[in-house]
Amino acid sequence: MYRLRLPEKRILEIILMNAPLIYESHSHTPLCKHADGWPVDYAAVAEERGLKGLIVTCHNPMPDGFSSGVRMAESEFGRYLEIIEEARESFAGRVDVRLGLEADYFEGMESFLEDQLQSADFNFVLGSVHPQISEWREKYWQEDLVEVQRTYFSLLAKAAESRLFDSLAHPDLIKNFTAKAWDPLKIMPDICRSLDRIAKTGIAMELNTSGVNKTIQEMNPMPSMLREIAKRKIPVTLGADAHIPDRVADGVEEALTLLRDAVFEQVSYILNRKRYEIPIVDALASLKPREPVS
Ligand SMILES: [Zn+2]
Ligand SMILES: [Zn+2]
């Protein structure tokens, strides 16, 4: 009887095509006071969507009441570690749940962050400049909104140069808070100067899919900025910035397609603060197909 023998390389390809590869690298918990669902709930969605893992990156505690309404308190940090460990144990062998953090970059707080980031075994640390919080507005806001945008992009480069973080979150977020004055062509020279500085540090940048739900409805960063990131060979991590379980991996296919169009070949994720790369074609093939519409 004739037996079909596939070459080993092809067998490996078939196994790899169905194997989960992608980590959701930006997700939250109720401890930040503006998200719903526990890490176990987010992990369940990660499993449904065919992801390999989930990195929980809730908003970090900051000292002296700094924007305390949108982040966990320092006293809740132990609880944060527990809920992630709980999810890690319940999903062992199914979804690789990991401890991460989204830490605010704010000038003058570098040494606080340095100590904080050594206080636990974080797998992945996102660095965020959040121009919407009152502390940021008090320090940097001015009437000329283009100047505010310039300040934002220069702080993004400073965040990279602090070498505290693994990836810069939603790196054109400012556009949503200065939408009236947002002109990509006008600000692009400033963005490029910032990216030149960022590229020298080896940090990654995030493609954040939640931007489609914001004032300017496109992912962060915009496609023209993604192309500048690709030119400088800055690695990109993916994140849905899920504040509800259902948004885990939301828009990931579109994000991978945007990366491919910006002429990236790889997408990155970070574990144990070390970067790994997946070819974009493999990442796309690894996702579970959406339920067919009947
Ligand atoms: Zn948030
Ligand atoms: Zn976030």
Side-chain angles (χ1 to χ4, degrees):
M1 197 172 139
Y2 175 76
R3 283 177 63 205
L4 177 70
R5 290 198 56 191
L6 289 168
E8 266 172 46
K9 186 170 168 281
R10 183 67 196 130
I11 293 170
L12 200 65
E13 271 170 15
I14 291 168
I15 294 169
L16 283 175
M17 267 186 37
N18 296 305
L21 287 175
I22 297 177
Y23 279 78
E24 168 59 79
S25 298
H26 193 156
S27 66
H28 290 276
T29 77
L31 298 180
C32 69
K33 310 172 189 84
H34 62 278
D36 289 319
W38 300 98
V40 282
D41 307 315
Y42 288 70
V45 179
E47 185 174 37
E48 268 170 40
R49 309 252 162 121
L51 301 197
K52 183 171 183 187
L54 169 81
I55 311 179
V56 186
T57 55
C58 206
H59 298 285
N60 68 326
M62 291 284 268
D64 310 320
F66 183 96
S67 65
S68 58
V70 290
R71 59 185 67 255
M72 71 184 95
E74 288 188 79
S75 60
E76 285 171 319
F77 187 69
R79 176 89 180 110
Y80 181 58
L81 301 181
E82 276 169 23
I83 58 176
I84 296 173
E85 190 49 39
E86 195 180 286
R88 183 165 172 77
E89 281 167 20
S90 4
F91 280 83
R94 291 147 66 199
V95 177
D96 184 19
V97 179
R98 300 279 189 137
L99 169 69
L101 199 67
E102 176 175 7
D104 268 62
Y105 175 72
F106 200 79
E107 283 178 299
M109 298 221 170
E110 291 85 349
S111 64
F112 169 85
L113 288 172
E114 206 179 321
D115 290 347
Q116 180 174 69
L117 298 179
Q118 276 165 15
S119 69
D121 282 331
F122 295 107
N123 280 273
F124 178 54
V125 180
L126 278 166
S128 290
V129 178
H130 281 130
Q132 68 270 47
I133 61 175
S134 58
E135 289 82 355
W136 202 95
R137 293 178 81 99
E138 269 159 38
K139 189 164 172 149
Y140 300 110
W141 213 265
Q142 51 175 297
E143 231 171 281
D144 183 344
L145 296 181
V146 177
E147 278 307 316
V148 176
Q149 294 164 358
R150 291 199 172 108
T151 305
Y152 170 85
F153 286 108
S154 124
L155 285 171
L156 212 54
K158 252 191 128 171
E161 287 161 354
S162 75
R163 311 225 173 217
L164 288 164
F165 315 109
D166 302 310
S167 184
L168 295 171
H170 39 60
D172 67 353
L173 187 64
I174 189 67
K175 68 187 172 191
N176 294 299
F177 305 101
T178 56
K180 274 182 290 180
W182 182 249
D183 178 348
L185 280 178
K186 192 168 174 185
I187 195 69
M188 197 47 87
D190 290 271
I191 292 179
C192 287
R193 270 194 294 279
S194 171
L195 292 178
D196 287 342
R197 289 167 62 190
I198 292 167
K200 285 187 194 137
T201 68
I203 198 173
M205 295 179 89
E206 177 189 62
L207 178 54
N208 185 307
T209 69
S210 75
V212 298
N213 304 317
K214 298 196 169 140
T215 310
I216 295 180
Q217 297 173 353
E218 59 184 13
M219 293 185 186
N220 306 100
M222 61 183 164
S224 57
M225 182 167 164
L226 266 185
R227 284 194 293 276
E228 295 298 335
I229 292 170
K231 264 191 223 165
R232 289 164 180 78
K233 304 204 174 340
I234 299 170
V236 170
T237 63
L238 280 182
D241 206 348
H243 286 71
I244 49 167
D246 219 34
R247 281 209 65 256
V248 166
D250 192 25
V252 64
E253 292 92 345
E254 293 86 337
L256 287 165
T257 308
L258 278 175
L259 285 178
R260 200 180 53 195
D261 293 348
V263 219
F264 284 90
E265 284 174 7
Q266 318 270 341
V267 62
S268 298
Y269 63 92
I270 287 157
L271 296 179
N272 299 317
R273 311 212 62 183
K274 197 173 157 275
R275 188 158 53 80
Y276 299 86
E277 295 194 321
I278 321 168
I280 289 174
V281 276
D282 295 355
L284 276 166
S286 76
L287 289 161
K288 281 198 186 148
R290 288 191 178 125
E291 295 288 301
V293 185
S294 55

